[in-house]
Amino acid sequence: MATIGLDKLFYSKITEDDNGNETYATPQVLAKAMTADLSVELNEATLYADDGAAEVVKEFKSGTLSLGVDDIGAPVASDLTGSTIDTNGVVISASEDGGDPVAVGFRAKKSNGKYRYYWLYRVKFGIPATNLATKGDSITFSTPTIEGTIMRRNKLDAFGKHPWKAEVTEGTEGVDQSVIDGWYDEVYEPVGELNLSPIHLPSGDVTM
């Protein structure tokens, strides 16, 4: 089922132990979301045998997240890009800046009124792009765009893997409502045993 909306854009700062394993802080509002474009790059290898492809392996390599937002406040800009805020409250961007990775969460509304929820576990953002235009005969809004690289996290999940995304659709059979209700209380952590039973999505539902 198609999505028709985007909101509740949050981020969570990451701290790492000596082995690089992530601990996530309490999520905070990033900005009001306008657009979110997510693309994924895969590592692919093909084993040929008997004059044909015998095995094909495709694994997540990295991804790109491009966010269009209404505005980026000074504290958020500092957290995402590594810029500093001086004693006058002015954001100072330097060539040496480099923000630490954060987790990013948001939700997309579907045409049936339910929501699809996301957490991206490790995203490293670059400097926001700003588009400005002089005022003319009509009003044109100029809003920033910020792009980040999506990476798998270092910490293993309950299944011994390195997740890069968590995704759940509200109202899907087998989804506990408490998971939906607490989605922004903390970054979602895979728990329990892997559910191997098929989850039946409504016709036409495609995950991002």
Side-chain angles (χ1 to χ4, degrees):
M1 185 174 294
T3 57
I4 58 174
L6 174 70
D7 68 352
K8 293 188 71 84
L9 179 59
F10 279 66
Y11 76 102
S12 172
K13 297 174 67 174
I14 294 173
T15 57
E16 300 180 9
D17 63 18
D18 293 339
N19 296 318
N21 293 326
E22 297 88 352
T23 298
Y24 299 99
T26 301
Q28 306 174 61
V29 174
L30 195 158
K32 291 183 179 180
M34 296 170 57
T35 61
D37 296 319
L38 190 159
S39 60
V40 174
E41 184 177 355
L42 300 176
N43 281 325
E44 182 175 343
T46 303
L47 174 66
Y48 290 92
D50 288 340
D51 295 330
E55 293 185 32
V56 177
V57 176
K58 294 186 179 183
E59 296 181 345
F60 173 80
K61 180 180 180 181
S62 65
T64 300
L65 177 67
S66 182
L67 295 174
V69 297
D70 68 328
D71 194 14
I72 298 177
V76 175
S78 179
D79 287 343
L80 298 189
T81 68
S83 59
T84 56
I85 303 173
D86 72 7
T87 54
N88 291 321
V90 177
V91 179
I92 307 298
S93 298
S95 61
E96 295 84 1
D97 291 347
D100 294 324
V102 297
V104 176
F106 53 91
R107 68 179 187 175
K109 189 175 184 178
K110 304 195 303 175
S111 57
N112 64 356
K114 302 293 186 179
Y115 286 89
R116 183 174 296 147
Y117 292 79
Y118 300 87
W119 272 112
L120 302 175
Y121 284 112
R122 192 176 177 93
V123 182
K124 187 174 179 64
F125 285 101
I127 304 300
T130 303
N131 300 305
L132 303 175
T134 189
K135 184 178 178 180
D137 293 333
S138 60
I139 297 175
T140 301
F141 289 101
S142 297
T143 56
T145 300
I146 187 167
E147 186 172 289
T149 299
I150 305 166
M151 301 169 283
R152 71 173 197 175
R153 76 176 190 185
N154 299 318
K155 181 182 177 182
L156 295 173
D157 64 11
F159 315 120
K161 297 182 178 181
H162 299 274
W164 65 274
K165 179 182 72 167
E167 175 183 341
V168 65
T169 300
E170 182 182 17
T172 300
E173 181 181 353
V175 174
D176 193 321
Q177 184 60 37
S178 64
V179 174
I180 302 298
D181 295 340
W183 194 254
Y184 294 103
D185 294 340
E186 59 185 4
V187 176
Y188 180 77
E189 182 68 33
V191 295
E193 297 181 357
L194 183 62
N195 183 5
L196 297 179
S197 60
I199 295 178
H200 300 288
L201 298 175
S203 177
D205 238 349
V206 179
T207 58
M208 183 169 71

